[in-house]
Amino acid sequence: MSIGIRWALAAVTVAILGAQTPGVDAAREKRLEWWREARFGMFIHWGLYAIPAGEWKGQQIEGIGEWIMNHAKIPVAEYEKLASQFNPVKFDADAWVAVAKRAGMKYIVITSKHHDGFAMFGSKASKYNIVDATPFHRDPMKELAAACHRAGIKLCFYYSQSQDWHEKDAIGNTWDWPDDTQKNFQHYFDTKVVPQVRELLTNYGPIGLIWFDTPRNISKENSQKLADLVHQLQPNCLVSGRVGHGVGDYDSAGDNQISVGNVHRDWETPVTLNDTWGFKKNDNNWKSPEVLIRQLATVASRGGNYLLNVGPTAEGVIPAPSVERLAEVGKWMKVNRESIYGTSATPFPYELPWGVITRKPSKLYLHVFRWPGREFSLYGLKTKVNRAYLLEGGRKLTVRQEHDSASDNYSLRIQLPERAPDAADSVIVLETAGHPDAMTSLLQQPDASVTLPAYLGTVHGGSGMPQVRFDGRGVAERWVDPKEWMDWDFRVSSPGEFQVVLITSQQKYGRDWEGGHRVAVEVEGHKIEGTVTDQGKVENPSNPYWPYVRSVIGLVRIDKPGVHKLALRPGSIESAKKFGLTLVSVDLVKAQ
Ligand code: JFZ
């Protein structure tokens, strides 16, 4: 693997919270067994914030629902009164677990204490909890533990270990307690966090994992103390990457961020069904079942777990649009679950235009999002395929493999039925002779296109350490210095004339984008120049939150098959909005 790729993937890893210690840790490997098999879990954000549900004193409060106390700067004295109104009489733990099970989810992570400091479980460490401070007087975590046990679902707890807006000495409440120098975090940590984590791991039976969150400026010693406490009390309980300082058992991606490439580490991404974690009565921006199914397959194809969130109401009901979508995902999982459970990452380090690939020891699962019609082609698979069939229904498929020694191109062609078995994701199974192995170089695809992803390029120039880095999606960020440039090596089997298209990313929710950058692209001595302008949106297959923009730069010629180098050198970069050149990829599209 080239240094550029290694560096890029390391940068992507750094961009993801946490990292694991190198080398094999037998205890950690054992803890991870069920989690690697599961691949798919339910996140539940439920707390006092479900009462205001995004509105405070008649005002709609922007942002995610569980942050309303912070976003509206609600004083503790006012917010804590919500506890006396919290009486989720419609809460039914078995009904919630049934929604998760029907969707094909294998574990549930529920907010035991979010940043607002309110414990959704009976706690002796703080009276600010659902049993002592509400008319409900029940412990829903106990009921959920029993329901999960009956259904064979792992129960896990989210716990906010640094932010606690109810406590003077914790992090985050700057409106009641503005002077951080007066805060004794260690006192808060020792008297509330440690005792409550101990309660969670003592009173609710076997727990699958503790999902710590927003470590902020917690010390490494305190992060380690939490990880050790969890593993002492329940050796098989996992610790999420957001415990801080890389001492978690696996990495946590940023919210709604899906890592890229064949990621060779254990990671998980939390994803919302709409735009909020905690219930908001006016947020109806629900993702379609098609997007959810494709995200699930995409995350699994990169070796990760997909933790999909529901935000129940103050009455204890999971909103109907959530239940309906999860049921649709469950119908797909009922047919295709073996292509998700226990799979590992694709053998290819880059994205493919038609969909994604998950892998088992002698199988590849081709998740085809865009059905090609009668013939499917795949380049770069070096392993022999013994058998191919549709996972839905088992229909056998004819496979033809060739290796062109002149261009060193491995091609595989499969004859398909005209119609896709599933509109969202049709799975083709390839049974291979041994562990599936692929070429790791960037290849021209069967449609003659070449995609050069930002995270697989090599950064050059600038002064000292490059500023450019790659976010959890592999998209370039902080590329504001035009002296920094990138290049890629790639392999072409069908030379000719290509249109050079730059794909850049808008900011989250598509609110903002920065164009006008001047760039030069050079391939085989051919140099073209152009400006990055918005020439249309490109569907971002794995995430509607981050729309992509296409900018045609011009035409280049590649005269012979084999390995070539493309260099992208900015002439100027607009960075008034601080986004800079948010490169997703450089695409070469064969001119007709
Ligand atoms: C955190 C919480 O603040 C939020 O309320 C929710 O619980 C979410 C699942 O986790 O939000 C984050 C934390 C980390 C990142 C983004 C949002 N991140 O690393 O990009």
Side-chain angles (χ1 to χ4, degrees):
M1 184 182 284
S2 82
I3 293 174
I5 289 181
R6 264 207 302 275
W7 181 83
L9 290 182
V12 171
T13 301
V14 169
I16 304 283
L17 289 172
Q20 292 114 32
T21 47
V24 176
D25 172 343
R28 175 177 165 272
E29 288 299 303
K30 184 173 182 328
R31 281 196 289 272
L32 281 163
E33 279 172 13
W34 72 264
W35 188 84
R36 288 169 176 159
E37 172 62 23
R39 284 284 171 258
F40 187 22
M42 176 184 271
F43 214 168
I44 303 177
H45 277 69
W46 194 39
L48 297 182
Y49 38 79
I51 297 171
E55 184 177 308
W56 192 256
K57 295 183 178 173
Q59 296 295 316
Q60 291 304 311
I61 306 300
E62 276 284 302
I64 44 185
E66 70 284 1
W67 270 68
I68 192 165
M69 183 181 172
N70 185 302
H71 291 156
K73 297 298 178 266
I74 304 169
V76 164
E78 276 188 52
Y79 186 86
E80 63 184 7
K81 288 176 185 162
L82 292 170
S84 62
Q85 304 166 38
F86 196 64
N87 192 11
V89 292
K90 293 182 181 173
F91 170 66
D92 175 347
D94 287 305
W96 284 16
V97 172
V99 170
K101 197 166 175 83
R102 193 180 311 125
M105 295 160 154
K106 293 281 194 175
Y107 60 111
I108 288 175
V109 181
I110 185 165
T111 48
S112 64
K113 178 189 78 74
H114 204 269
H115 308 329
D116 64 359
F118 184 72
M120 291 295 284
F121 61 98
S123 171
K124 293 193 174 10
S126 160
K127 288 295 177 203
Y128 192 49
N129 72 71
I130 191 167
V131 174
D132 297 316
T134 77
F136 191 54
H137 290 310
R138 285 158 50 184
D139 185 337
M141 300 304 119
K142 277 236 189 295
E143 297 173 33
L144 209 49
C148 283
H149 180 72
R150 283 190 287 273
I153 297 272
K154 286 268 184 194
L155 176 63
C156 311
F157 292 126
Y158 166 109
Y159 189 87
S160 173
Q161 77 276 20
S162 300
Q163 291 194 74
D164 188 322
W165 306 324
H166 188 264
E167 307 294 340
K168 175 179 80 64
D169 288 329
I171 291 170
N173 184 332
T174 54
W175 52 98
D176 286 313
W177 302 291
D179 184 355
D180 281 347
T181 62
Q182 299 305 307
K183 299 178 180 182
N184 176 351
F185 180 79
Q186 200 59 45
H187 176 261
Y188 160 70
F189 183 83
D190 294 337
T191 60
K192 183 169 181 180
V193 175
V194 170
Q196 286 195 327
V197 170
R198 187 180 295 280
E199 288 173 326
L200 290 170
L201 288 160
T202 305
N203 303 334
Y204 299 92
I207 300 301
L209 68 92
I210 302 292
W211 213 91
F212 291 107
D213 191 23
T214 62
R216 294 293 171 92
N217 54 358
I218 194 170
S219 68
K220 173 150 190 176
E221 184 193 4
N222 280 337
S223 292
Q224 190 62 61
K225 191 180 284 186
L226 288 177
D228 294 345
L229 176 63
V230 171
H231 294 150
Q232 278 154 16
L233 292 169
Q234 295 203 25
N236 289 329
C237 183
L238 288 161
V239 171
S240 81
R242 290 188 189 176
V243 67
H245 296 285
V247 300
D249 290 309
Y250 66 88
D251 292 344
S252 300
D255 287 16
N256 284 297
Q257 290 211 1
I258 294 180
S259 294
V260 286
N262 53 349
V263 181
H264 294 297
R265 67 184 192 288
D266 295 291
W267 66 281
E268 174 191 68
T269 188
V271 171
T272 52
L273 270 168
N274 47 10
D275 292 338
T276 176
W277 304 94
F279 177 66
K280 283 184 82 174
K281 56 190 160 210
N282 295 328
D283 181 337
N284 291 298
N285 187 25
W286 304 101
K287 291 185 180 77
S288 68
E290 180 177 271
V291 164
L292 300 171
I293 290 164
R294 290 179 175 180
Q295 283 192 340
L296 168 60
T298 301
V299 170
S301 78
R302 297 168 186 173
N305 279 24
Y306 185 61
L307 187 61
L308 188 52
N309 182 74
V310 296
T313 66
E315 294 181 307
V317 175
I318 296 176
S322 300
V323 174
E324 290 153 13
R325 281 154 181 78
L326 290 178
E328 288 304 308
V329 176
K331 286 178 191 165
W332 183 87
M333 278 294 281
K334 197 171 175 63
V335 174
N336 300 286
R337 56 183 177 270
E338 75 165 77
S339 69
I340 300 292
Y341 295 148
T343 59
S344 54
T346 171
F348 294 91
Y350 49 78
E351 302 308 291
L352 290 158
W354 45 266
V356 297
I357 299 175
T358 53
R359 175 167 51 168
K360 281 182 177 172
S362 59
K363 273 186 186 172
L364 284 181
Y365 297 95
L366 312 183
H367 296 262
V368 184
F369 301 161
R370 297 179 185 81
W371 195 252
R374 285 278 178 208
E375 179 165 284
F376 170 88
S377 299
L378 176 66
Y379 286 178
L381 179 64
K382 295 158 72 171
T383 310
K384 184 177 177 316
V385 173
N386 293 330
R387 200 160 79 93
Y389 55 93
L390 292 176
L391 187 51
E392 182 170 349
R395 174 175 169 166
K396 275 180 65 75
L397 301 170
T398 309
V399 182
R400 197 171 79 248
Q401 288 180 279
E402 290 169 354
H403 176 239
D404 174 303
S405 48
S407 62
D408 192 23
N409 189 41
Y410 293 85
S411 62
L412 172 146
R413 287 179 175 77
I414 303 173
Q415 297 311 305
L416 296 176
E418 184 64 37
R419 287 173 54 80
D422 187 289
D425 176 0
S426 302
V427 180
I428 297 170
V429 185
L430 303 183
E431 291 184 353
T432 56
H435 197 63
D437 185 22
M439 293 181 74
T440 54
S441 49
L442 291 166
L443 295 179
Q444 182 178 27
Q445 291 302 303
D447 65 0
S449 69
V450 181
T451 295
L452 306 176
Y455 66 95
L456 292 180
T458 304
V459 179
H460 303 273
S463 43
M465 191 65 180
Q467 286 187 72
V468 174
R469 65 182 191 186
F470 303 95
D471 70 14
R473 305 165 294 148
V475 175
E477 56 181 17
R478 300 197 324 190
W479 193 352
V480 293
D481 179 355
K483 290 196 293 300
E484 293 186 356
W485 58 280
M486 293 189 72
D487 65 7
W488 294 259
D489 293 319
F490 61 98
R491 184 181 291 274
V492 162
S493 49
S494 166
E497 196 168 52
F498 294 83
Q499 190 179 54
V500 179
V501 181
L502 251 60
I503 305 295
T504 50
S505 177
Q506 292 183 248
Q507 299 310 302
K508 192 166 187 173
Y509 302 107
R511 276 203 203 102
D512 219 336
W513 176 77
E514 202 160 28
H517 322 298
R518 290 288 302 161
V519 295
V521 173
E522 189 170 351
V523 185
E524 295 303 305
H526 293 262
K527 185 172 177 180
I528 58 171
E529 292 185 350
T531 304
V532 177
T533 54
D534 182 343
Q535 293 171 348
K537 298 300 180 292
V538 175
E539 182 207 348
N540 173 358
S542 59
N543 202 324
Y545 280 127
W546 312 83
Y548 290 166
V549 175
R550 69 189 298 273
S551 312
V552 178
I553 304 301
L555 290 172
V556 292
R557 264 202 78 71
I558 296 176
D559 296 318
K560 53 187 185 310
V563 178
H564 297 278
K565 187 178 287 290
L566 179 143
L568 172 65
R569 297 172 191 273
S572 64
I573 296 180
E574 301 301 316
S575 55
K577 297 176 184 172
K578 304 280 182 281
F579 303 148
L581 182 50
T582 55
L583 185 71
V584 175
S585 65
V586 179
D587 293 358
L588 301 180
V589 181
K590 192 89 175 286
Q592 299 309 333

